[in-house]
Amino acid sequence: MSVPNNSLFLSVLGITHTVNMLILNKTAGVFFKPSRRKIYAFLGSFHFHPGKLFLHKLVLGIETSCDDTAAAVVDEAGNVLGEAIHSQTEVHLKTGGIIPPVAQQLHRENIQRIVQEALSASEVSPSELSAIATTIKPGLALSLGVGLSFSLQLVDQFKKPFIPIHHMEAHALTIRLTNKVEFPFLVLLISGGHCLLALVRGVSDFLLLGKSLDIAPGDMLDKVARRLSLIKHPECSTMSGGKAIEHLAKQGNRLHFDFQPPMQRAKNCDFSFSGLQHVIDKMIMQKEKEEGIEQGQVLSSAADIAAAAQHTVACHIAKRTHRALLFCKQRGFLRQSNTVLVVSGGVASNLYIRKALEIVTSATQCTLLCPPPRLCTDNGVMIAWNGVERLRAGLGILHNTEGIRYEPKCPLGVDISKEVGEAAIKVPRLKMKI
Ligand code: KG4
Ligand code: ZN
């Protein structure tokens, strides 16, 4: 991979140096013949910005765990000073899924530019950073490797502390950047690669209540969208699979198909999506026969199938989440009032699924909170913010990165899903009128 070139960062440094000098000239009057050492000690305690004075710690976050190359600079108060992202979605849509070496190559081609853009937008120089935070787990090995080796070079070059980040922890904590949310809260993370319910008790204190036993809902929706050839649909050709399903579902009638939610008899908080995906696949094949069309053409009933698939996914997710809320309240893990359910991850941008979850939260006197859509999908801000959270809590800040490795597979927190299943909580039936 390409090595960050010094001149690239010197240009950013140059801007800040000039600003520092300007501020120094303006404020020089307040010092009485200060020594150079005193001035630099004084300056060192602040972060300067054109027209602004930062008293906060600044963290650069770098994300490359899957198919987005993203970076951001966030301060201790949660201000996003600069961010940049390069999405590979279009390329992967064409190849019908993520091919890891292709993702790796695209990360390599873009990481330097993206980090530079985030730093330039923030007008913060690398030397002013308090730490560099980077996703090192879980994710695609080849993708994680690019972000990690780039970050380690920066850490080494600018002698900064390094904060390794768990991608799902970052998704879970993003809400604390946008809303005042205290621990504990329940989090539902639903994306293309993950599906889990966890109790968040602290910055790195999670109890895992349930997870998908096979694929994640985003992966399933991507596969259904591909099988429906939605890339050929004029309105959906540039959308991710999940977004295309949501878009098309608005034009369909879900009652034309009846797909049963998975795992109805298992009284736990685990999920499953691959069985449902196969049932939908079979139905698509049957419809293609009925309509006399070849695989690869868009069915006339595509919108109805999308609507029914989305509804079934929403009901399955809502039911497991409902059980998790009841379990946590029963055990005293969550407050009886002012309980918060946070939903994040790419699939959380789906408004239909959110409505299903709202039905659950209003039945259980909870508040549903979701980060804004751009912070639900992968981004650099959540990584930088996780760095800030860890910096404030004094957790996992490395001054020596020797032996640090990325981990493609890494569970989140302590797994108590067996205990949840043993509690076998019966969930009251809710009318899913969305
Ligand atoms: O969190 P994310 O950007 O990446 C990871 O998987 O970690 O999530 C991407 C996933 C994809 O599977 C995409 O199809 C899905 O989120 N997605 C959606 C929507 N927007 C993105 N799924 C359902 N409805 C959406 N509006
Ligand atoms: Zn993600």
Side-chain angles (χ1 to χ4, degrees):
M1 67 165 292
S2 49
V3 179
N5 122 17
N6 272 342
S7 61
L8 180 151
F9 293 106
L10 281 178
S11 62
V12 184
L13 276 166
I15 297 169
T16 319
H17 185 65
T18 316
V19 173
N20 283 357
M21 293 317 289
L22 281 174
I23 294 171
L24 184 59
N25 287 342
K26 268 192 190 168
T27 55
V30 299
F31 300 106
F32 180 71
K33 285 196 177 166
S35 70
R36 270 175 93 89
R37 193 181 55 76
K38 271 190 182 157
I39 292 173
Y40 280 108
F42 173 77
L43 288 173
S45 63
F46 297 99
H47 291 287
F48 290 102
H49 200 271
K52 287 182 195 164
L53 190 62
F54 284 111
L55 297 164
H56 301 300
K57 292 193 164 84
L58 305 167
V59 176
L60 167 67
I62 299 178
E63 157 66 32
T64 64
S65 69
C66 190
D67 59 345
D68 290 308
T69 316
V73 178
V74 174
D75 76 9
E76 209 179 352
N79 298 304
V80 178
L81 305 181
E83 60 178 309
I85 188 160
H86 173 264
S87 166
Q88 305 176 359
T89 307
E90 234 175 277
V91 175
H92 300 311
L93 268 176
K94 282 189 196 127
T95 51
I98 299 171
I99 299 169
V102 174
Q104 180 190 42
Q105 184 54 29
L106 291 169
H107 283 305
R108 281 178 174 161
E109 285 169 15
N110 291 288
I111 191 159
Q112 184 164 322
R113 176 179 62 83
I114 290 300
V115 171
Q116 187 188 1
E117 274 178 27
L119 283 167
S120 303
S122 66
E123 294 181 57
V124 166
S125 73
S127 63
E128 289 171 309
L129 294 168
S130 312
I132 295 170
T134 303
T135 310
I136 68 150
K137 59 191 174 184
L140 297 173
L142 295 179
S143 296
L144 288 167
V146 178
L148 179 58
S149 53
F150 185 88
S151 304
L152 292 184
Q153 286 170 33
L154 274 187
V155 161
D156 191 47
Q157 188 180 353
F158 294 98
K159 305 282 171 262
K160 295 292 166 187
F162 182 60
I163 308 177
I165 299 293
H166 190 298
H167 182 82
M168 305 313 282
E169 178 180 305
H171 270 308
L173 297 178
T174 307
I175 199 71
R176 283 166 49 86
L177 176 140
T178 55
N179 299 62
K180 272 206 172 94
V181 178
E182 301 290 335
F183 300 119
F185 59 87
L186 183 69
V187 71
L188 167 70
L189 297 177
I190 37 178
S191 72
H194 295 277
C195 177
L196 62 85
L197 272 161
L199 178 73
V200 190
R201 302 193 297 186
V203 172
S204 74
D205 183 3
F206 289 72
L207 291 183
L208 185 68
L209 305 170
K211 60 180 185 317
S212 176
L213 303 177
D214 39 62
I215 59 173
D219 190 11
M220 182 222 143
L221 293 172
D222 289 342
K223 285 182 169 128
V224 171
R226 260 204 307 279
R227 187 62 189 77
L228 283 171
S229 306
L230 297 189
I231 195 163
K232 294 203 179 132
H233 194 289
E235 290 166 29
C236 306
S237 60
T238 59
M239 292 177 185
S240 68
K243 203 172 162 69
I245 295 279
E246 181 178 23
H247 179 80
L248 209 61
K250 287 184 196 135
Q251 304 162 22
N253 184 345
R254 70 171 176 83
L255 299 173
H256 287 182
F257 292 92
D258 185 22
F259 303 127
Q260 287 304 303
M263 300 179 76
Q264 297 205 73
R265 271 193 284 271
K267 291 194 181 66
N268 55 32
C269 290
D270 288 332
F271 303 80
S272 168
F273 296 93
S274 63
L276 175 62
Q277 185 222 318
H278 289 304
V279 169
I280 297 170
D281 269 6
K282 266 189 171 169
M283 181 57 77
I284 295 171
M285 213 187 316
Q286 188 188 318
K287 283 282 144 194
E288 281 170 349
K289 267 194 198 144
E290 277 174 33
E291 291 189 18
I293 66 163
E294 297 273 313
Q295 184 172 335
Q297 289 175 280
V298 182
L299 281 170
S300 68
S301 50
D304 296 338
I305 294 174
Q310 178 177 254
H311 180 76
T312 313
V313 166
C315 289
H316 180 47
I317 291 174
K319 182 99 176 225
R320 311 326 267 186
T321 308
H322 194 170
R323 180 170 289 118
L325 279 167
L326 296 178
F327 175 83
C328 288
K329 287 201 177 195
Q330 195 187 75
R331 294 288 158 109
F333 289 162
L334 284 171
R335 282 179 290 270
Q336 290 301 325
S337 59
N338 298 327
T339 318
V340 172
L341 167 68
V342 172
V343 186
S344 196
V347 180
S349 20
N350 185 296
L351 297 182
Y352 191 92
I353 294 173
R354 279 197 202 188
K355 278 191 194 142
L357 290 164
E358 263 163 24
I359 293 173
V360 170
T361 50
S362 65
T364 48
Q365 289 86 48
C366 292
T367 307
L368 173 69
L369 294 177
C370 301
R374 70 179 184 88
L375 295 180
C376 274
T377 49
D378 291 352
N379 62 84
V381 174
M382 70 182 195
I383 308 304
W385 174 248
N386 199 161
V388 168
E389 289 262 36
R390 281 186 164 266
L391 210 53
R392 289 197 306 204
L395 290 166
I397 305 147
L398 307 183
H399 294 277
N400 179 351
T401 55
E402 220 172 282
I404 188 99
R405 301 271 180 277
Y406 56 80
E407 295 169 56
K409 281 196 175 17
C410 182
L412 180 71
V414 178
D415 188 348
I416 61 157
S417 54
K418 203 164 163 260
E419 202 179 316
V420 176
E422 280 161 7
I425 293 173
K426 198 165 168 1
V427 175
R429 227 174 164 45
L430 294 177
K431 223 181 165 106
M432 284 296 160
K433 218 166 164 233
I434 305 170

